[in-house]
Amino acid sequence: MSAPESACAAALATASMEVMTGNDAAATAAKLARVQVIAAYPITPQSPVVEQLSAWVESGELPAEFVTVESEHSALTVCIAASTVGARTFTATSANGLAYMTEQVWWAAGARLPIVMCIANRAMAAPWNVLNDQQDSMSVRDAGWVQLYCRDNQEILDTTLQAYRIAERLHVPVMVCYDGFLLSHTMMPVSVPDAAVIDAWLPKYDHPLTVVDPADPRNIGPVVIADPRADASGEGHGGYMEIRAQLHGALLEVLDVIPKVDSEYGAAVGRQWGGLLWEHMLDDAEVVLVAAGSLGTQLTVAAEKLREEGVKAGVLGIRAYRPFPVAALRGKLAGRKLALVYDKALAYGYEGPICSDLRGCLLGTPDAPAVFGAVCGLGGRDVPVDQLAGAARRALADAEAGLRVRETDWINLHLEG
Amino acid sequence: MPTKILDLPDTSYVLPGNRACAGCGIGIALRQITAALDGKMVMTVPASCLTVLGGMYPIASVSVPWLNVAFPSTAAAASGLAAGLRATGREGEMTVLAMAGDGGTGDIGIQALSGAAERNDDFIYLCYDNEAYMNTGTQRSGSTPAGARTTTTWAGKRENPKDLPRIMEAHGIPYVASTSAAFPTDVYDKVAKARDIHGLRYIHMNTPCPSGWSFDPKDTVAIGKLAVDSGLVVLYEVVDGVFRLTSRSASLAKAGGRLKPVAGYVATQGRFRGMSDEAIASVQAWVDTRWAGYLARDAAEHCSSQTTAS
Ligand SMILES: Cc1ncc(C[n+]2csc(CCOP(=O)(O)OP(=O)(O)O)c2C)c(N)n1
Ligand code: SF4
Ligand SMILES: [Mg+2]
């Protein structure tokens, strides 16, 4: 987090400091955003978000419709339909809940609905495991949602608010991802902006793309053929591929909007988060440790340890994973010796998803570093800082030995039992 | 008073020409359904023949707001529309109508529908029952009648269909009705009545399908009527738990309750070709038991409520 020079001192002065969990930070942000329709289904570790919001709706503290759906598939469906009529919507889930609603995850993006969904990241079954990794949200990275990853509870609150502004500006849905238990259930001090400050920054949502009006009837989301087709008056309209290309175009535009919204938020509220990426001791770093979420914070400690040993290490944190910040990453990594990507997820049969994406985006660029991958923390497996640093040492030795490709390293794995 | 056929409104929200098969029962009924709501509605539709009927972008065949949604999600989408309209202060502007096929309702969509019914969310849910998955090529559904051949029951389905209106009634919702696309006034009256009730209103509509049932498209209405006369389909409504037969089923009851034989109905459609005498007898027994139950319920609840009222 950095406080911009233009930080709105008044906003900071009216904010209240509270100690809360990551889930409470998400719920508080939804409340500050004055969401109008909430639909969610409980799953560990997301459940407290649902419980808190339902309590506020019941007490009248949050004037919204809370639909107590029977499943995650229906939770996202309710948001899809309510967003279609122009309501600001919110939902949250984890792991199997996200997998269960996957059909609708694709639908929401294809339908260009500015839904915001918090993901308390959790491991995918089988076997059952309720603890943290990032396999759940990584598995839907290609569905057309913006994905933002948070480092701490303050960032969860701020990012969820920013998510609405991003979503509503370009009509794309946004997932705000934060590590289950590590953040969702951990208390931290969080500065809660004054409601009036947020009301001014995030006005009512009043410009849906869709029209639901008997006086102006539309068939929303009908069958679309492959090729462009003329309407009844002879005017041509795009086919499926044009519609999907527009979604892709909107997501690429989000790459400009995320940093813009982050600095607009900074000006209004007094905090900003680096836009697409964040960094720690990166300036002169030769070895760059890359990760998304709270793992990045642990990497800062590992990098400091490595510095003490004389290794010029730094951290590059992925805040926006989708759209993938290709240009920003190229800019930050050109001329470095090594980028080691720590993934808390795996594309089974290949390697960590962030690692593949990063290697792909650097391939063939001038002065690209070697890109190696390490997988860690699956199902809540402890990620000790000295082992994070150890993986960096191994990777550096491999890079210095001239390796450009290497198998994925596994951190803190004990196959022998 | 039931509406007479000549009194049905002329306004049509179903535009001339659509992509359904010739003789499709859905198109016939959709005129009455949309007219009964005066077009002041938003409908939500899952993957089905109805999606196809609605038109292909950028041309639509129906002039009311229409939201297409994923196959299992019709009822949840209707809950979302209702919640969204309420949240934006527009709930008085239109009725929310969920309209789905039998597969989208009773099979893949029953979880969302059951949830919405248990919450008594504020919309009309109309299931058009063409007794199979027609959109994907006539596979069996939980509503396919015993004896019918489909592309997943080549020798004829063995099981009787599930009783969806009864399942819905068990949720304690304020209005449940069973109707048929072959009875336009019955469809109209039931949707019009449902319009003025709050909470979840469920209407189950038998909908003859010439392509999937294999009969001549000109016979849609005749076959729909025969289904009622044979007791395979029964027209009734349950208002706040009180049952009454309506329209043709009420007349049949009044005239002594005699039904035409199932064998005659079965003979009109290619899907039952080769159905054994035992299978027909078994369906006949199932129909007779059900019909006796409906007659008894009508006598006990409807006739007695009339006596109390007079
Ligand atoms: C999740 C999912 N599974 C399967 C399908 C394929 N599918 C589309 S329509 C349909 C059958 C629809 O049957 P029904 O609801 O009875 O409507 P009908 O086509 O008979 O009008 C199926 C199986 C789908 N679209 N989505
Ligand atoms: S298959 Fe049957 S229900 Fe579907 S459009 Fe054709 S006639 Fe109508
Ligand atoms: Mg069907």
Side-chain angles (χ1 to χ4, degrees):
Chain A
M1 173 188 68
S2 60
E5 273 169 46
S6 63
C8 178
L12 284 172
T14 54
S16 64
M17 191 55 83
E18 294 172 30
V19 177
M20 61 171 77
T21 62
N23 281 332
D24 281 342
T28 303
K31 184 172 146 210
L32 281 169
R34 298 201 189 277
V35 295
Q36 294 166 294
V37 174
I38 303 159
Y41 192 78
I43 181 167
T44 303
Q46 153 271 27
S47 304
V49 183
V50 186
E51 294 165 355
Q52 179 58 265
L53 287 169
S54 87
W56 281 332
V57 171
E58 234 165 69
S59 72
E61 206 173 327
L62 175 57
E65 296 288 325
F66 189 99
V67 186
T68 48
V69 286
E70 87 305 327
S71 72
E72 289 86 358
H73 198 284
S74 290
L76 192 47
T77 305
V78 164
C79 291
I80 285 169
S83 183
T84 302
V85 298
R88 185 173 282 163
T89 61
F90 178 81
T91 187
T93 192
S94 300
N96 291 59
L98 180 60
Y100 195 64
M101 63 163 71
T102 302
E103 179 182 30
Q104 302 303 64
V105 169
W106 284 83
W107 196 284
R112 301 292 302 273
L113 297 167
I115 296 163
V116 172
M117 169 155 69
C118 283
I119 306 293
N121 285 117
R122 160 181 161 179
M124 290 298 307
W128 280 124
N129 177 298
V130 299
L131 302 177
N132 169 247
D133 63 38
Q134 295 169 344
Q135 190 69 51
D136 49 3
S137 51
M138 287 291 160
S139 301
V140 291
R141 66 182 180 175
D142 297 329
W145 286 59
V146 175
Q147 284 197 347
L148 303 172
Y149 288 80
C150 303
R151 277 159 281 171
D152 61 36
N153 297 358
Q154 184 70 63
E155 190 173 9
I156 295 170
L157 183 141
D158 294 337
T159 304
T160 305
L161 286 166
Q162 292 184 7
Y164 280 101
R165 191 127 156 184
I166 297 163
E168 291 168 9
R169 201 165 285 181
L170 286 169
H171 294 102
V172 289
V174 180
M175 269 178 222
V176 178
C177 307
Y178 54 88
D179 294 303
F181 290 107
L182 299 179
L183 299 182
S184 71
H185 284 64
T186 304
M187 303 277 255
M188 292 178 197
V190 172
S191 165
V192 179
D194 186 59
V197 171
I198 297 304
D199 285 345
W201 187 76
L202 187 69
K204 227 169 107 40
Y205 174 52
D206 59 1
H207 54 283
L209 284 179
T210 38
V211 175
V212 177
D213 180 2
D216 183 9
R218 311 280 181 98
N219 188 334
I220 302 165
V223 179
V224 175
I225 57 171
D227 293 329
R229 185 167 183 244
D231 66 17
S233 66
E235 194 190 326
H237 293 267
Y240 181 85
M241 214 156 150
E242 284 71 28
I243 290 169
R244 300 306 292 196
Q246 281 168 359
L247 170 62
H248 183 62
L251 278 165
L252 295 183
E253 238 181 284
V254 168
L255 286 171
D256 295 330
V257 170
I258 291 170
K260 235 180 256 168
V261 166
D262 192 32
S263 62
E264 289 161 5
Y265 188 83
V269 181
R271 265 185 312 279
Q272 59 189 71
W273 294 92
L276 302 167
L277 304 169
W278 59 270
E279 57 189 72
H280 181 74
M281 301 188 309
L282 193 69
D283 285 349
D284 63 339
E286 292 173 355
V287 175
V288 181
L289 315 183
V290 181
S294 67
L295 182 57
T297 310
Q298 281 171 282
L299 288 178
T300 61
V301 187
E304 279 158 21
K305 231 175 133 73
L306 289 164
R307 288 254 170 190
E308 284 166 19
E309 301 165 11
V311 178
K312 284 190 179 167
V315 178
L316 186 58
I318 307 267
R319 184 162 182 259
Y321 177 55
R322 282 294 182 271
F324 197 57
V326 172
L329 285 164
R330 284 180 183 160
K332 293 287 180 196
L333 291 172
R336 319 279 180 178
K337 195 181 279 178
L338 165 71
L340 178 61
V341 183
Y342 296 76
D343 269 293
K344 274 189 179 176
L346 189 54
Y348 283 85
Y350 190 23
E351 61 179 349
I354 305 177
C355 179
S356 303
D357 283 350
L358 185 67
R359 184 176 318 97
C361 102
L362 294 176
L363 192 74
T365 58
D367 294 329
V371 179
F372 295 154
V375 165
C376 63
L378 301 188
R381 173 62 53 89
D382 198 18
V383 198
V385 166
D386 53 337
Q387 294 203 28
L388 293 173
R393 272 183 231 112
R394 284 194 293 279
L396 181 58
D398 289 339
E400 283 175 343
L403 286 189
R404 298 297 287 180
V405 278
R406 198 195 68 166
E407 274 185 25
T408 302
D409 195 5
W410 285 70
I411 296 174
N412 205 7
L413 176 73
H414 309 281
L415 279 179
E416 59 291 346
Chain B
M1 275 298 284
T3 303
K4 298 230 172 23
I5 193 95
L6 292 176
D7 299 334
L8 287 172
D10 292 332
T11 340
S12 184
Y13 300 94
V14 181
L15 306 170
N18 65 53
R19 296 188 151 260
C21 310
C24 176
I26 306 172
I28 302 175
L30 194 56
R31 283 174 211 284
Q32 274 65 58
I33 295 162
T34 49
L37 299 174
D38 277 334
K40 290 196 189 66
M41 59 185 289
V42 50
M43 60 193 285
T44 183
V45 175
S48 59
C49 282
L50 184 54
T51 322
V52 177
L53 184 152
M56 246 161 34
Y57 181 77
I59 295 174
S61 68
V62 178
S63 62
V64 296
W66 174 312
L67 174 64
N68 291 283
V69 293
F71 190 31
S73 66
T74 324
S79 296
L81 286 170
L85 288 169
R86 227 172 13 252
T88 52
R90 298 173 61 201
E91 70 270 38
E93 291 176 21
M94 61 194 102
T95 300
V96 176
L97 172 74
M99 186 163 166
D102 46 298
T105 300
D107 295 342
I108 202 168
I110 200 168
Q111 172 176 313
L113 176 57
S114 177
E118 183 267 331
R119 297 188 302 271
N120 199 25
D121 283 351
D122 194 23
F123 60 85
I124 302 176
Y125 191 108
L126 192 144
C127 168
Y128 68 91
D129 183 2
N130 54 18
E131 301 183 340
Y133 300 157
M134 295 309 178
N135 182 244
T136 39
T138 322
Q139 295 85 13
R140 96 192 269 289
S141 80
S143 297
T144 302
R149 286 194 297 185
T150 67
T151 54
T152 50
T153 54
W154 296 97
K157 188 181 176 231
R158 278 189 293 270
E159 306 79 13
N160 286 311
K162 59 172 111 175
D163 190 340
L164 283 172
R166 206 161 126 223
I167 293 170
M168 293 312 295
E169 197 193 336
H171 287 79
I173 53 179
Y175 187 76
V176 174
S178 164
T179 185
S180 161
F183 293 82
T185 52
D186 194 58
V187 171
Y188 181 87
D189 286 340
K190 283 171 177 164
V191 177
K193 181 178 242 174
R195 180 190 60 200
D196 300 326
I197 297 172
H198 282 287
L200 202 143
R201 298 140 273 169
Y202 179 80
I203 302 175
H204 196 88
M205 182 176 79
N206 184 255
T207 306
C209 159
S211 311
W213 298 7
S214 185
F215 63 79
D216 194 318
K218 73 171 170 33
D219 293 332
T220 302
V221 171
I223 285 186
K225 284 186 169 161
L226 189 56
V228 173
D229 285 350
S230 316
L232 282 141
V233 173
V234 178
L235 312 179
Y236 65 83
E237 64 184 10
V238 187
V239 185
D240 290 328
V242 179
F243 179 98
R244 92 181 170 95
L245 292 168
T246 66
S247 183
R248 180 81 186 153
S249 294
S251 322
L252 287 172
K254 216 168 174 185
R258 273 177 59 90
L259 299 173
K260 288 187 175 161
V262 167
Y265 175 74
V266 157
T268 59
Q269 298 153 58
R271 62 175 168 160
F272 295 116
R273 202 173 305 131
M275 194 174 166
S276 69
D277 290 345
E278 295 94 287
I280 295 175
S282 150
V283 172
Q284 184 67 62
W286 177 76
V287 164
D288 291 345
T289 312
R290 273 190 1 142
W291 180 236
Y294 287 127
L295 290 178
R297 243 193 117 175
D298 186 63
E301 301 177 25
H302 166 228
C303 300
S304 74
S305 73
Q306 278 194 328
T307 335
T308 355
S310 56

